[in-house]
């Protein structure tokens, strides 16, 4: 079992729709959770982090964390073509190491 | 502001050759990292450093070496290149470590070993 799992996609949504990206992790001791966006051929950039169970909103982005289910998600409201990218879920487990999932490719169609 | 600068951006190596990927940051960050990213995969940590003179192994250190003689520079050395080392390499720095997820990445170095 991979430590951080994501559906590779592509996830295709129409412009203006809500995109839902999901991530599961295996280590129950994981403490911190991050979402990075990576445009094709570019380096990752941090867009959201969440530490506590529940929802965290930042503009059009909402991160959701459920530690009991070992599940973290990212919702993108009013999706735009410029949101088309690969979204990487990352988790800090015991030992202070950041572990990345394989990423989900999102395509927002005009 | 230069941020994190990696060189070279592209390189083709023959099996058995050696090379050094350079990484320099001008933000006075103590924490620096080397990751590799294979096609369709996430990033895997190769080595990291919490300050000048201090380095430690990450998840996939075999076949690589690093040094950190200054705060600014964190070169990654590949010895005896193998096809399995074909990848995109990202150097990153952080003011606080990975706890905040705030990593400043370089543009990446695409390495092909033939």
């Amino acid at each position: 079992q991979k430590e951080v799992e994501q559906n590779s996609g592509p996830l295709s949504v129409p412009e203006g729709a809500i995109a839902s990206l999901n991530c599961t992790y295996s280590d129950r001791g994981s403490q911190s959770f991050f979402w990075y966006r990576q445009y094709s051929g570019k380096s990752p950039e941090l867009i959201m982090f969440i530490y506590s169970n529940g929802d965290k909103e930042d503009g059009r982005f909402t991160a959701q964390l459920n530690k009991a289910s070992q599940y973290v998600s990212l919702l993108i409201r009013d999706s735009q073509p410029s949101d088309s990218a690969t979204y990487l879920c990352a988790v800090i487990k015991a030992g202070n190491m950041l572990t990345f999932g394989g990423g989900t490719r999102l395509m927002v169609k005009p | 502001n230069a941020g994190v600068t990696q060189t070279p951006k592209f390189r083709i190596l023959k099996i058995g050759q050696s090379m050094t990927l350079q990484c320099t940051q001008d933000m006075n960050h103590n924490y620096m990292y080397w990751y590799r990213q294979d096609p369709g995969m996430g990033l895997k940590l190769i080595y990291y450093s919490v300050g000048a003179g201090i380095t430690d192994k990450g998840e996939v250190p075999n076949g690589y070496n690093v040094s950190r003689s200054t705060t600014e520079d964190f070169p990654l050395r590949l010895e005896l290149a193998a096809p399995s080392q074909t990848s995109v390499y990202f150097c990153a720095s952080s003011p606080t470590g990975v706890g905040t997820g705030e990593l400043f990445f370089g543009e990446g170095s695409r390495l092909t070993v033939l």
Side-chain angles (χ1 to χ4, degrees), chain A residues 34 36 38 43-44 51 92 96 101-102, chain B residues 37 40 42 90 98-101 105-106:
Chain A
F34 307 92
Y36 292 82
Q38 186 175 26
S43 56
Y51 302 142
I92 294 181
N96 204 32
Chain B
Q37 186 176 33
F90 289 101
V98 296
T100 62
F105 285 92

Side-chain angles (χ1 to χ4, degrees), chain B:
Chain B
N1 289 338
V4 178
T5 302
Q6 291 183 233
T7 57
K9 288 187 169 46
F10 301 94
R11 181 74 185 268
I12 298 175
L13 280 182
K14 294 183 179 179
I15 294 173
Q17 287 185 321
S18 299
M19 74 161 297
T20 299
L21 298 176
Q22 302 291 345
C23 176
T24 300
Q25 53 95 4
D26 62 359
M27 297 172 283
N28 201 35
H29 290 168
N30 283 326
Y31 298 85
M32 295 189 74
Y33 307 86
W34 273 107
Y35 290 93
R36 61 175 286 174
Q37 186 176 33
D38 298 331
M41 305 290 285
L43 285 76
K44 291 195 181 297
L45 182 64
I46 305 171
Y47 270 95
Y48 67 99
S49 170
V50 300
I54 306 169
T55 63
D56 209 346
K57 296 178 181 179
E59 302 170 85
V60 289
N62 291 345
Y64 307 94
N65 274 301
V66 293
S67 60
R68 185 93 183 271
S69 57
T70 67
T71 299
E72 295 78 20
D73 299 309
F74 191 39
L76 177 71
R77 177 82 177 163
L78 281 74
E79 305 282 2
L80 299 175
S84 61
Q85 293 178 304
T86 294
S87 191
V88 179
Y89 292 82
F90 289 101
C91 178
S93 72
S94 173
T96 57
V98 296
T100 62
E102 189 181 20
L103 296 173
F104 294 79
F105 285 92
E107 293 185 343
S109 298
R110 185 177 296 274
L111 175 67
T112 302
V113 182
L114 300 174

